[in-house]
Amino acid sequence: MTLTASAKPVSPRPSAAHRTWRTLSPYAYIAPFFTLFAAFGLFPLIYTAFVSLYRVELQTPGEMEWRGFGNYTALFDDEIFWTALGNTFTIGVLSTVPQLVMALGLAHLLNYRLRGRTFLRTAMLLPYATSVAAATLVFAQLFGRDFGLINYVLGLVGFDPVDWQAGTVSSQIAVSTIVIWRWTGYNALIYLAGMQSIPSELYEAAEMDGASRWRQFIHVTLPGLRPTILFTVVVSTIGATQLFGEPLLFEGSISGGISHQYQTLGLYMYEQGWGFFHLGRAAAIAWVMFLLILVLVGVNALIAHRRSRKEAGR
């Protein structure tokens, strides 16, 4: 008797509509994101560049007069613009450098087995969860000239009261303090996550070689955190360039003080657009800020790339 193998069932070929859906379905899943990005991200960016080439007033937005790069040239001839640019850089340095250094130290402490680590990590996010308005109003009271807690403490140790809102350096330090308070815990948790991703074998090997905790931090933790540090530097740089809420609410003035002593680029843009109603010039400021962020991020990336190439060639 001859045995014949049973024939395997042949699966039907997918239809053309099914094949088309299989091809397009990945794009359909990501389409909502790109739709929202195009509507609320790309279109405003392009439209702002378009408006920056015209004279547009807030009272009559439909009347547009072509100026070309006139808004930009007028901007660069404005002394207050350069003051705001310098203030943005100064406040950015005063807030970013101490903030990241303190965040790195706090993350290093939280990386050890401490009691109440979960509570401490949660408490780190409380300043970040606090609204900008609430935090700034509280700090404005703390830095009050006559009844502020900061001046009271300074008086206890023999210093004269400081008019924090009137002085250039003092007002910038006060605004930077608000930024440091709000963002240090956030960056500390980012550093903590990066530290916990470093293999424990590296610390064990360093400990066997007799390295102290400080040397382990310098030669193991910092090299392992280099990508995370670069990320926080870039994000903090972008945030410092766009700083707006803290200087606006510190005294409640869109001019950033009587002599613009702590007016940032974001506050200067708001003053031009919604204080003086020059929407075209405000759009030009927005694009200058955007290009400035691109330059700063590119410089950070270039420095990190050269450093990594230098270490790889050792």
Side-chain angles (χ1 to χ4, degrees):
M1 177 182 291
T2 305
L3 299 177
T4 59
S6 59
K8 295 181 179 180
V10 180
S11 58
R13 295 185 59 187
S15 62
H18 183 69
R19 292 196 302 270
T20 303
W21 169 247
R22 290 181 59 181
T23 304
L24 298 179
S25 59
Y27 302 98
Y29 293 138
I30 63 176
F33 166 76
F34 285 101
T35 302
L36 294 175
F37 173 74
F40 299 102
L42 187 60
F43 172 74
L45 185 66
I46 297 175
Y47 185 72
T48 303
F50 171 76
V51 172
S52 68
L53 303 177
Y54 289 84
R55 182 194 301 273
V56 187
E57 301 299 324
L58 184 62
Q59 304 92 327
T60 56
E63 300 178 6
M64 305 178 68
E65 178 185 347
W66 172 258
R67 291 201 65 191
F69 291 100
N71 286 325
Y72 293 92
T73 56
L75 190 66
F76 296 142
D77 291 336
D78 189 358
E79 184 179 349
I80 300 178
F81 165 76
W82 295 107
T83 301
L85 180 62
N87 293 339
T88 302
F89 176 78
T90 305
I91 295 176
V93 173
L94 289 176
S95 61
T96 300
V97 176
Q99 171 195 149
L100 297 184
V101 172
M102 292 171 59
L104 195 59
L106 290 174
H108 185 60
L109 292 177
L110 291 176
N111 197 30
Y112 291 106
R113 294 184 177 180
L114 302 176
R115 290 184 179 181
R117 285 186 303 170
T118 303
F119 171 76
L120 293 175
R121 293 173 184 178
T122 305
M124 286 290 180
L125 280 179
L126 291 180
Y128 172 71
T130 306
S131 68
V132 179
T136 306
L137 292 177
V138 170
F139 272 89
Q141 297 298 320
L142 293 177
F143 284 103
R145 183 188 63 181
D146 298 323
F147 304 103
L149 181 60
I150 305 298
N151 278 341
Y152 173 76
V153 174
L154 291 177
L156 293 179
V157 294
F159 289 96
D160 295 329
V162 178
D163 193 349
W164 295 97
Q165 295 179 344
T168 300
V169 177
S170 59
S171 61
Q172 293 178 0
I173 291 176
V175 173
S176 301
T177 304
I178 306 173
V179 180
I180 292 171
W181 182 83
R182 291 195 66 239
W183 291 97
T184 298
Y186 174 83
N187 287 307
L189 292 183
I190 293 178
Y191 287 148
L192 179 61
M195 289 178 183
Q196 293 181 344
S197 66
I198 299 175
S200 59
E201 292 82 2
L202 297 178
Y203 292 101
E204 295 174 358
E207 188 175 358
M208 291 178 62
D209 291 339
S212 62
R213 287 188 173 182
W214 173 251
R215 288 190 173 274
Q216 292 179 28
F217 177 76
I218 295 296
H219 298 288
V220 178
T221 304
L222 288 183
L225 279 182
R226 185 167 294 120
T228 308
I229 294 175
L230 176 61
F231 169 77
T232 56
V233 169
V234 170
V235 173
S236 299
T237 301
I238 294 174
T241 307
Q242 298 176 336
L243 192 63
F244 173 75
E246 289 84 351
L248 173 64
L249 298 173
F250 181 61
E251 192 182 6
S253 171
I254 62 175
S255 61
I258 299 176
S259 57
H260 306 274
Q261 63 266 22
Y262 59 91
Q263 185 180 46
T264 59
L265 284 177
L267 199 55
Y268 177 63
M269 177 184 67
Y270 183 84
E271 181 187 41
Q272 291 295 320
W274 283 264
F276 300 147
F277 311 123
H278 303 321
L279 292 185
R281 183 172 294 188
I285 299 170
W287 258 88
V288 169
M289 293 172 60
F290 175 70
L291 296 177
L292 180 62
I293 289 173
L294 290 182
V295 171
L296 293 176
V297 172
V299 169
N300 287 327
L302 181 61
I303 293 175
H305 179 67
R306 287 187 174 181
R307 185 177 181 85
S308 61
R309 287 186 57 185
K310 182 179 179 180
E311 293 184 353
R314 290 179 180 177

